[in-house]
Structures are given as C-alpha cells and as structure tokens.
Amino acid sequence: MKKVAIIGVGNVGAHIASAAINKNLAAEFLLVDQNQEFETAQVLDLCDSLLFSHNSRVSSADFGDKKVREADIFVITAGAKQNPGETRIDLLAKNREILQSIKKSLGEIKKTAIVILVTNPVDILTTITAEIFGLPQNQVFGSGTLLDTARLRWRLARKFDKNIANVHGYVLGEHGDSEFVAWSTVNGSEVLSAEEKEKIATRVREEAYDIIAGKGATYFGIGAAAAEIISVILNNSEKVLPVSTVLNGEYGVQGIALGVPAKIGENGVEEVLEINLNEEEKEKLQNSAKKLKKLL
Ligand code: NAD
C-alpha cells in the first residue's frame, strides 16, 4: 500500500485528505503539521469519516518518523495563506523559507518520491522545489491551473446548460493574476461574444479573492483537485491535467513552472503536451513566464 504524506493540515491539507479518503484510494495517509495539537484534532475528525469510505488509513505523524521519510507521495500545503486583499505572490518569501525548513526537517526521502506542491505562489515554489528536494523535475509538480480549469468548466457547463463532463477547455499559465482562458481549447466557445468570454475569464481569475473575502480561505475545490491528482498517480492513469511543471523550451518558455496540460502517471509528469495555442495565447503564456521569472 502506498504512503501519502500531507504536509500542512490546515484548511487545504485537511480537505485534500477528506476528498482522498472519500475517493476510496488504496493508500495510507500520514498527516504532518507543525501545530501538533491541531494536527491530532484534524486526524481524529478525519478518522470519524473512515466507516463511510471503508479502506483508507489516516494517521498523525512527525517529520522525524521513518514512515514519513518513506512516503511515496508528498502533498505540500504548509505555509501562509492569502489574507483578504493579498495576492498569492505576496506569500513568496515566507513560503519559500517554510519549504526549505520542511525539507530540512524531513531529511532523506525516497529517490522515487513524488512531490505535489499546493502552497502558493505555487508556480514559483514548484520551480525551486526539485532543487530543494534533490529530485528530478518530473517528480515535482504543482496543482497549477487545475483548480482554475475546474472553475472555468462549471461556469461553461452552466452557461451551455451541459453536464460538466461534456464541456472542455483549459485555464493556463500562472495560478494567479496573469492566468488566462485558452479559448481555442474550449469546445463551443465560438457562440460566445467577446464580452461574454471576458466576463467568464474575469470571474474565474477573481473567484479566489471573492471566496477569501467571504470566508477567509478556499478549500473544497483544491481538496477535490489534489485528490484527483493523487488518484491519477496511484492508479497510473496517465490522465492529462493542467498542472504546474517546469518548462524546458515548450511554448518558447524555459526554466519556470507554469500550468500547462501534462500527462500524469506513477512517475509524476510523464509528458508535457504542447497543444496548439494561437499566437495571442502563446504570448499570454510567455507573459506569465516573464512575470514569474522576474520574481524568481
Ligand atoms: P492554513 O493556515 O489553514 O493551513 C496552513 C497549515 O500549514 C497550518 O496548519 C500550519 O500550522 C501549517 N504549517 C505552517 N508551516 C509549517 C511547517 N513548517 N511545517 C508543517 N506545517 C506548517 O492555510 P490553508 O488555507 O490550508 O492554505 C495553505 C496554502 O495553500 C496557502 O499557501 C494557500 O495560498 C494555498 N492554496 C493553494 C491553492 C492552489 O490552487 N494551489 C488553493 C488554495 C490554497
């Protein structure tokens, strides 16, 4: 049975664990947080849902535990979250330090481990994590624009009055303010006016700000999205998801992680797909890259 360590079990970490448990994944979940009292309470609360999901195992763990170092998948959600009005980029310095301290506390981990970054700003942190963790780049990736794509698809499903499974399309680039809807990938987008497209793209981009203003954090969507990534890895499904992965020349971008469609399997990112984007979309992707590289 594979071991999945979730580092940071606040709003996001706990909802990822909950969504993964409810997916009945054949894995043991180890929950690690610097606040041990809080961690124990989260684990107890999650264990109360086990009867209804049958086979998932959840336990509290410490950084020093051998079973944590031997985890097959690390999901990192530890770190500062946005306060109302803050951007994801505002968290960079703080969360980079937290990431470094996590690796120090973990010590040696399996050479085959997969690390999924969720902590923001997720693209810049993904770019530096492979080096911090001493792992090959394909084994380290971020949740990227998967959540933004989910936000796009439910809005399109509602607009077109279709089942969400039957509407397709991607949000690409930064998981943040320079992200964009790649309309050339959206089926049926030709019936939408420029104003309608702009309205949908703006709502998708600003949704996190609205949720944070209303209740302090976002967690149901990312919980389900990260549980899907874990499931795809554990089942080696080779599903294409828009995750944040370091680009090596694809789309004319080098050395920075961005949300692009990638085939995900048991080794992490099995392949970055270079889909046909139009010139305007390529330029937007390159603008995301320029912005993030400057900050890096
Ligand atoms: P939270 O404050 O509820 O939880 C963060 C947890 O991290 C806390 O329990 C804290 O004790 C723990 N922590 C901090 N430093 C730690 C360390 N060194 N070791 C272990 N644990 C540590 O915050 P949240 O709402 O769960 O958000 C967590 C992160 O996820 C934020 O950076 C947020 O911006 C990000 N996020 C990302 C996405 C995405 O799509 N990528 C979506 C939502 C939130």
Side-chain angles (χ1 to χ4, degrees):
M1 186 175 278
K2 299 272 185 185
K3 289 188 176 59
V4 179
I6 301 184
I7 314 290
V9 288
N11 290 312
V12 172
H15 278 79
I16 293 172
S18 175
I21 289 166
N22 285 317
K23 263 183 179 285
N24 264 338
L25 300 179
E28 181 180 358
F29 291 87
L30 307 165
L31 271 49
V32 185
D33 199 285
Q34 67 176 7
N35 181 342
Q36 292 200 342
E37 198 182 345
F38 179 69
E39 172 194 303
T40 307
Q42 291 283 54
V43 171
L44 277 177
D45 198 6
L46 282 162
C47 285
D48 291 348
S49 68
L50 290 181
L51 172 65
F52 313 105
S53 59
H54 308 292
N55 64 2
S56 296
R57 293 204 233 156
V58 185
S59 54
S60 216
D62 289 329
F63 279 115
D65 292 350
K66 189 164 169 272
K67 61 182 180 179
V68 174
R69 285 200 308 276
E70 288 176 349
D72 302 285
I73 300 176
F74 289 87
V75 184
I76 302 187
T77 82
K81 62 170 191 259
Q82 288 164 266
N83 288 314
E86 264 187 326
T87 71
R88 297 173 178 95
I89 296 296
D90 293 328
L91 310 171
L92 177 56
K94 227 182 298 180
N95 285 347
R96 191 190 58 181
E97 267 180 38
I98 289 177
L99 204 55
Q100 284 163 332
S101 83
I102 288 172
K103 175 61 182 71
K104 215 169 153 196
S105 310
L106 282 171
E108 275 299 302
I109 59 169
K110 270 174 131 172
K111 290 199 172 8
T112 52
I114 309 281
V115 177
I116 304 166
L117 254 293
V118 177
T119 304
N120 277 317
V122 71
D123 305 288
I124 302 187
L125 294 180
T126 298
T127 309
I128 59 176
T129 298
E131 198 181 320
I132 295 175
F133 278 66
L135 291 173
Q137 256 167 14
N138 64 298
Q139 288 170 225
V140 178
F141 62 97
S143 54
T145 46
L146 181 56
L147 174 59
D148 315 86
T149 294
R151 288 174 176 153
L152 171 70
R153 285 180 62 179
W154 77 250
R155 282 176 192 277
L156 291 172
R158 190 175 280 183
K159 181 91 187 162
F160 294 142
D161 194 20
K162 291 265 190 299
N163 185 304
I164 194 165
N166 298 325
V167 289
H168 299 281
Y170 291 118
V171 176
L172 300 177
E174 177 195 7
H175 169 60
D177 298 340
S178 70
E179 71 183 36
F180 63 95
V181 176
W183 287 106
S184 67
T185 66
V186 175
N187 57 335
S189 70
E190 57 283 355
V191 304
L192 298 174
S193 67
E195 292 73 36
E196 283 173 311
K197 286 182 183 169
E198 188 49 40
K199 198 170 159 199
I200 292 172
T202 305
R203 294 302 340 122
V204 167
R205 193 172 54 244
E206 294 185 353
E207 192 184 300
Y209 291 109
D210 298 341
I211 298 173
I212 290 167
K215 63 173 204 172
T218 72
Y219 37 83
F220 290 115
I222 186 61
E228 169 73 359
I229 297 174
I230 297 168
S231 163
V232 168
I233 296 171
L234 291 175
N235 295 313
N236 194 20
S237 323
E238 302 204 325
K239 200 167 172 178
V240 174
L241 300 172
V243 296
S244 186
T245 180
V246 177
L247 297 177
N248 292 304
E250 296 90 349
Y251 303 100
V253 174
Q254 184 76 40
I256 191 88
L258 285 178
V260 293
K263 194 169 26 162
I264 306 297
E266 63 186 352
N267 301 311
V269 174
E270 308 276 358
E271 188 186 347
V272 174
L273 301 186
E274 212 165 345
I275 57 171
N276 276 331
L277 297 178
N278 62 36
E279 286 310 312
E280 190 189 345
E281 291 164 349
K282 268 189 218 154
E283 204 182 312
K284 286 182 176 167
L285 196 67
Q286 286 164 3
N287 284 342
S288 270
K290 270 188 215 141
K291 171 188 167 183
L292 297 183
K293 269 190 159 180
K294 208 167 157 195
L295 289 157
L296 186 66

